[in-house]
Amino acid sequence: MNLNTYQKQAITTKIYADEAALSYLALGLGGESSELFEKIKENRKNITTLEGDKLQLLAKEIGDVYWYLAGLAEETDQKLGDIYFDHSNPLPVDIKLDEVVDMLIIETGAVLEVFKKALRDDYELFVNKKLVPGKFIKMNMAIANLLMISEYLASFFGVQVGTILQQNVDKLASRAKRGTLSGSGDVR
């Protein structure tokens, strides 16, 4: 599954109000990135030998990050794949896992900072899901970096991005069918 196909399928499970879209998605991205960070740090000692449930839990967290990135792309009338290809720069070949995990938090913070300033400076545009050009570019650069980070983490854990995206769509479709999209935790 590619990013644009994922975006189309993932967005069908949105349950937030349109007027709260960007705020909801930014806060959700912050929460999910923090959860992924926490899960990686909890397993740091044996990170290279993870398997089974622990590996699946990390893949689910990566999938949740992708969902919020897809939502941000959708709500700003963009395609996730285009953001990735237009704004990404490859990570250094010799980059360490700790550096990538730090980047996860830094780039998530960059998205949150853009939205904080948009709420403060351009409220009417923001609630209508618009950003001034400079903020728009900063958001896209951070999203592209988060996509690269997520791709790196998936590869590091030996899971293909397409598999993570499909599992995330399947999980959300199941929740939608059962009427359990809202709430918290994986057991719903």
Side-chain angles (χ1 to χ4, degrees):
M1 172 175 287
N2 68 38
L3 292 172
N4 292 339
T5 302
Y6 171 74
Q7 178 180 335
K8 284 180 190 175
Q9 292 181 23
I11 201 64
T12 64
T13 61
K14 81 175 195 170
I15 57 172
Y16 51 83
D18 279 342
E19 60 273 8
L22 295 182
S23 296
Y24 175 83
L25 292 165
L27 291 169
L29 176 63
E32 294 301 336
S33 293
S34 295
E35 286 182 34
L36 177 56
F37 177 85
E38 179 183 20
K39 299 287 185 269
I40 292 170
K41 291 296 182 180
E42 283 173 2
N43 293 289
R44 186 66 185 113
K45 287 185 179 178
N46 60 346
I47 201 80
T48 58
T49 59
L50 286 181
E51 53 187 35
D53 291 343
K54 289 191 177 195
L55 185 61
Q56 189 61 26
L57 183 60
L58 284 168
K60 284 181 182 180
E61 295 298 342
I62 294 169
D64 291 343
V65 168
Y66 273 112
W67 190 89
Y68 285 96
L69 295 173
L72 289 171
E74 183 71 23
E75 295 297 346
T76 56
D77 296 322
Q78 301 182 86
K79 292 182 180 168
L80 202 53
D82 293 347
I83 294 172
Y84 179 78
F85 290 111
D86 292 346
H87 297 281
S88 64
N89 295 309
L91 295 174
V93 177
D94 59 346
I95 195 163
K96 306 287 187 256
L97 178 63
D98 285 340
E99 295 172 285
V100 174
V101 172
D102 290 346
M103 287 175 63
L104 170 71
I105 299 305
I106 290 166
E107 294 301 331
T108 299
V111 172
L112 295 172
E113 184 69 12
V114 165
F115 289 166
K116 176 191 84 173
K117 289 180 179 176
L119 271 167
R120 180 192 67 205
D121 302 338
D122 313 304
Y123 180 77
E124 290 301 319
L125 287 173
F126 185 78
V127 295
N128 290 302
K129 300 185 259 184
K130 305 288 183 210
L131 297 171
V132 295
K135 290 179 178 117
F136 191 77
I137 290 168
K138 285 181 182 179
M139 177 195 70
N140 281 351
M141 290 173 62
I143 289 173
N145 288 336
L146 285 165
L147 289 168
M148 284 186 310
I149 290 163
S150 297
E151 183 178 52
Y152 173 92
L153 292 172
S155 175
F156 183 89
F157 296 122
V159 183
Q160 292 191 10
V161 170
T163 301
I164 289 173
L165 299 178
Q166 187 63 58
Q167 288 174 343
N168 188 259
V169 164
D170 292 346
K171 172 186 81 172
L172 294 169
S174 172
R175 286 183 185 170
K177 186 176 183 179
R178 293 179 283 119
T180 58
L181 279 172
S182 61
S184 63
D186 283 329
V187 185
R188 331 182 212 163

